[in-house]
Amino acid sequence: MTEEIVFKTEADMPYLPMTLGTTLVNKTGSWRYIRPLYVDKTPPCNHNCPAGSDVVGYLALIREGKYKEAWELIKQENPFPGVCGRVCPHPCESECNRGELGGAIAIHTLERFLADWAVSNNEERGMSNEAPDSSLGKVAVIGSGPAGLSCAYHLARLGYPVTVFEALPVAGGMMRVGIPEYRLPREVLDREIADIEALGVKIKTNTRVGDNVKLSDLEDYQALFIGVGLQKSRKLNVPGEDAEGVIHGLEFLKKVNLGEEVQVGASVAVIGGGNTAIDAARTALRLGSEVTILYRRSRAEMPAIAEEIEEALAEGISIRYLAAPSRILTEDGRVSKLECIKMRLGEPDESGRRRPIPIEGSEFTIEVDTVIPAVAQELENGSWKLEVGSWRPALSLAEGLEVEQGRIVIDEAGLTTGEGVFAGGDVATPFGTVAHAVGSGKRAALAIDQYLRGEELAGFPPLDEAVQAVPKDVDPDVVRFEDLNLAYFEELERTEQPQKTVEERVRGFEEVNLGFGEEEAQAEAERCFSCGTCNLCDTCLIFCPDVAIARVDHKGYEVNYDYCKGCGICAEECPRYAISIEEELKWKK
Ligand code: FAD
């Protein structure tokens, strides 16, 4: 054991440098060769949000109980938090660094929590904006899906008068007529669309452009946005497809969602592996049928949202993998059986998924009375190309819009090959989600603003990256798990939202997922690492051996470089990688 040292008088003490005056005259910062800088980095969730939401920002506001501010922060970028909080496949969560320590944050459920909170607290409709100013130019939006409505919303917030033309009697696109009510209650959608209308956006339903209204009738609009989606179900191209008892997935869902009567039999085969197939299957189940899904690849290649597949299985739908229809057999013109062929997987095709190859002689039949093909969606009106030319013949659109592989070609600003004609969402991009459609509608709105102001279209990232209406000044460096200081974080399990029981679910179309209450929302938001984002935790300040860091106006920290010796402890200690170290030489004038 070491002996205790006791100083009885001053004379016992060793020589120590002491000063009776201030030492601040000694600017120890001059020894430094590296310097710390407060630089927020890009959190992986923000980076992966196709709608461009500041996820880390709104989770921080939830933790502070500032729900209104959190909801407004989302609404700044995305007019559909209630929709996305329910149906988004949440790519933000797949990259969440928390995934390594207890499971990704349930971001989409928190987004939904805020949207539900805004409804129950009757928050203001929409967000304040300038009164529409037609001197800026009027914009026509074709299609009221998430792409068109997001474009209209952002343009309205920028002060433009916007009219949305919608072919159907109701607005919302696939959010209304594709996604079933048990995943997205209509009052949620109604409310968010009403918020958009509250900004002055006019939605003209029952108005199909190219039919009830010609493009040439829109001449007094100075810019067009085409967000018509992909409305046509791709055919299977097998014998018997025209028989009674065959109804294509989109048509089936549209009818059910619009409250029309649909004849669906006792035994249904759904063909396909995407969201439309799973939704059609779960809808048919709720209408009382026994349902089998046939998918030509394996579960690993299935493009539908993983949770939806799980839920379908839990509800009693069977999925037959590696099988494709080869013939629909009929009796008196009605479906009686489905002949299928077994498949095996070959090399990956252009989609990156392994190509299904039929196994010769492996045909088998299943007894069904209804077949719902739901294999893909296509551009409904191939003549867009030509029709757009009639909008402003003077603008050299005689050649029409370029369409490639069934989609309207756009550049990074969302501009088509026609001047003043922009496009986005499913008709122009291959991503196929609501959040991507919201992001591309916003991109076009920002570009239309530049266009109408006579500016050069600039500053747009590639189409697979999000744009922000209110960009945050952050380093593009995306924070990885290993960038964090894990000493500060313990493993905490993710909270899952409750669901209705399977028995309750299959009885009808009531919402399956029940969302978070305030307590769960707080607990889940607490788990967020705030990757790359200073949240004023004071760790840097506490650890600085030179007392060179100070809080400034409770907004952030300031390093006093006269005294910071560049030891780097602040950056090393920072739990969330919000401090960068740079070589001093860079800063020497
Ligand atoms: P759409 O939503 O298709 O909207 C286009 C609108 O344009 C429609 O209302 C159409 O009637 C209208 N229109 C077309 N032609 C004209 C015209 N000539 N004049 C006027 N109006 C016209 N995504 C997710 O993120 N999560 C999900 O869970 C999910 N599930 C889905 C389930 C189903 C069954 C389907 C079909 C899709 C699903 N998606 C999901 C995909 C998502 O809904 C789409 O990617 C998204 O809606 C595309 O938005 P959009 O605005 O481009 O087109």
Side-chain angles (χ1 to χ4, degrees):
M1 203 174 121
T2 46
E3 209 177 303
E4 196 182 353
I5 302 168
V6 180
F7 302 125
K8 285 193 181 131
T9 68
E10 215 175 280
D12 291 343
M13 290 172 75
Y15 287 113
L16 286 172
M18 277 178 70
T19 173
L20 298 176
T22 174
T23 56
L24 291 180
V25 67
N26 185 10
K27 297 197 170 166
T28 51
S30 58
W31 310 347
R32 194 177 55 244
Y33 70 96
I34 53 170
R35 67 162 58 190
L37 294 159
Y38 288 88
V39 181
D40 279 356
K41 319 289 185 309
T42 304
C45 48
N46 292 18
H47 182 248
N48 263 27
C49 173
S53 293
D54 176 4
V55 177
V56 159
Y58 72 74
L59 295 196
L61 290 165
I62 292 178
R63 283 196 297 277
E64 290 176 43
K66 295 182 176 167
Y67 303 133
K68 179 173 163 41
E69 290 82 350
W71 174 73
E72 282 176 352
L73 188 63
I74 303 183
K75 281 279 233 189
Q76 205 166 267
E77 302 295 338
N78 178 358
F80 290 112
V83 173
C84 290
R86 286 171 165 84
V87 307
C88 185
H90 44 76
C92 51
E93 291 181 24
S94 41
E95 297 297 313
C96 171
N97 284 323
R98 236 318 161 186
E100 307 270 334
L101 212 60
I105 309 288
I107 298 168
H108 74 293
T109 320
L110 290 168
E111 186 179 19
R112 168 188 168 158
F113 165 77
L114 290 174
D116 291 355
W117 177 90
V119 172
S120 42
N121 287 273
N122 207 19
E123 272 313 321
E124 253 179 79
R125 318 305 309 239
M127 308 256 298
S128 58
N129 70 320
E130 308 286 319
D133 177 359
S134 37
S135 71
L136 292 168
K138 290 199 307 176
V139 185
V141 169
I142 309 172
S144 71
L149 289 179
S150 164
C151 182
Y153 171 79
H154 286 285
L155 282 168
R157 277 169 49 83
L158 290 165
Y160 291 91
V162 188
T163 306
V164 180
F165 297 91
E166 169 55 53
L168 294 175
V170 279
M174 290 306 169
M175 300 184 291
R176 171 89 56 189
V177 296
I179 300 173
E181 283 217 59
Y182 59 83
R183 294 210 282 131
L184 176 57
R186 294 309 180 244
E187 59 270 22
V188 174
L189 182 61
D190 289 345
R191 159 86 192 205
E192 292 187 338
I193 294 179
D195 284 357
I196 296 170
E197 290 178 295
L199 292 173
V201 170
K202 292 195 173 54
I203 305 178
K204 291 194 173 176
T205 50
N206 288 314
T207 313
R208 176 177 290 277
V209 174
D211 189 351
N212 314 72
V213 162
K214 301 278 175 241
L215 273 159
S216 49
D217 299 333
L218 304 181
E219 261 188 27
D220 59 335
Y221 291 89
Q222 281 68 51
L224 285 188
F225 175 78
I226 304 176
V228 294
L230 302 175
Q231 307 301 326
K232 198 169 130 195
S233 293
R234 183 175 297 167
K235 292 192 81 170
L236 292 174
N237 287 326
V238 297
E241 200 168 354
D242 297 326
E244 205 184 316
V246 179
I247 176 162
H248 284 80
L250 277 184
E251 197 188 335
F252 169 64
L253 288 169
K254 196 181 276 186
K255 284 192 163 164
V256 176
N257 285 324
L258 290 176
E260 291 173 26
E261 206 186 314
V262 195
Q263 296 297 333
V264 64
S267 181
V268 174
V270 176
I271 321 295
N275 286 327
T276 308
I278 303 288
D279 282 341
R282 293 178 75 192
T283 298
L285 181 86
R286 282 161 172 74
L287 295 176
S289 312
E290 197 176 295
V291 186
T292 304
I293 297 177
L294 290 162
Y295 180 52
R296 59 192 185 139
R297 293 181 164 102
S298 74
R299 169 79 186 261
E301 289 83 24
M302 240 176 156
I305 300 172
E307 286 103 317
E308 303 306 321
I309 303 173
E310 287 304 330
E311 285 173 14
L313 290 169
E315 288 169 7
I317 289 167
S318 52
I319 306 182
R320 214 165 162 157
Y321 299 102
L322 294 167
S326 47
R327 197 153 55 112
I328 296 168
L329 305 173
T330 56
E331 263 170 38
D332 303 328
R334 264 208 69 86
V335 174
S336 62
K337 285 190 184 78
L338 180 66
E339 184 190 88
C340 309
I341 185 159
K342 292 185 184 167
M343 313 293 272
R344 66 180 174 81
L345 293 180
E347 293 302 308
D349 61 16
E350 60 286 348
S351 74
R353 293 175 300 168
R354 293 180 63 193
R355 186 188 301 277
I357 302 168
I359 303 173
E360 224 175 288
S362 67
E363 286 83 357
F364 64 97
T365 52
I366 54 173
E367 306 259 341
V368 291
D369 52 17
T370 307
V371 177
I372 305 182
V375 287
Q377 279 107 245
E378 296 173 341
L379 186 60
E380 192 176 32
N381 187 348
S383 63
W384 269 109
K385 201 175 157 168
L386 300 174
E387 277 182 13
V388 159
S390 66
W391 175 49
R392 282 207 211 148
L395 287 179
S396 70
L397 281 173
E399 300 272 302
L401 299 183
E402 202 176 320
V403 175
E404 214 175 80
Q405 294 182 334
R407 290 201 169 83
I408 294 175
V409 176
I410 54 171
D411 70 5
E412 286 172 355
L415 181 68
T416 66
T417 45
E419 197 196 322
V421 185
F422 295 76
D426 284 2
V427 75
T429 62
F431 311 114
T433 75
V434 171
H436 280 98
V438 163
S440 77
K442 173 170 52 176
R443 175 189 300 259
L446 300 176
I448 289 171
D449 180 41
Q450 291 180 350
Y451 169 74
L452 291 177
R453 288 177 191 283
E455 294 166 7
E456 198 188 321
L457 303 188
F460 295 98
L463 289 175
D464 59 352
E465 287 179 25
V467 284
Q468 275 86 35
V470 185
K472 246 183 133 183
D473 185 18
V474 293
D475 188 316
D477 186 10
V478 179
V479 182
R480 300 158 307 164
F481 184 62
E482 50 273 30
D483 295 325
L484 302 166
N485 185 347
L486 298 175
Y488 289 89
F489 304 111
E490 54 176 331
E491 185 157 345
L492 288 172
E493 288 304 310
R494 167 182 164 114
T495 313
E496 295 294 351
Q497 64 180 324
Q499 287 189 322
K500 282 209 158 69
T501 63
V502 168
E503 295 71 38
E504 288 169 326
R505 269 149 60 172
V506 299
R507 258 184 248 140
F509 285 81
E510 277 182 33
E511 188 168 22
V512 167
N513 292 321
L514 301 175
F516 281 157
E518 186 167 359
E519 206 176 302
E520 291 108 325
Q522 279 298 330
E524 196 54 16
E526 269 306 322
R527 296 175 64 240
C528 174
F529 293 149
S530 285
C531 298
T533 310
C534 175
N535 67 353
L536 304 180
C537 71
D538 280 352
T539 306
C540 52
L541 182 148
I542 292 164
F543 274 84
C544 175
D546 295 296
V547 202
I549 297 176
R551 274 241 201 181
V552 195
D553 291 342
H554 303 286
K555 281 190 197 135
Y557 301 101
E558 203 167 73
V559 181
N560 188 335
Y561 291 109
D562 279 347
Y563 304 103
C564 163
K565 294 207 291 294
C567 65
I569 289 179
C570 53
E572 244 345 272
E573 262 329 295
C574 175
R576 39 194 60 83
Y577 189 46
I579 303 179
S580 298
I581 292 290
E582 286 202 356
E583 277 198 46
E584 192 59 27
L585 274 178
K586 209 174 141 187
W587 292 85
K588 290 263 189 288
K589 297 227 161 77

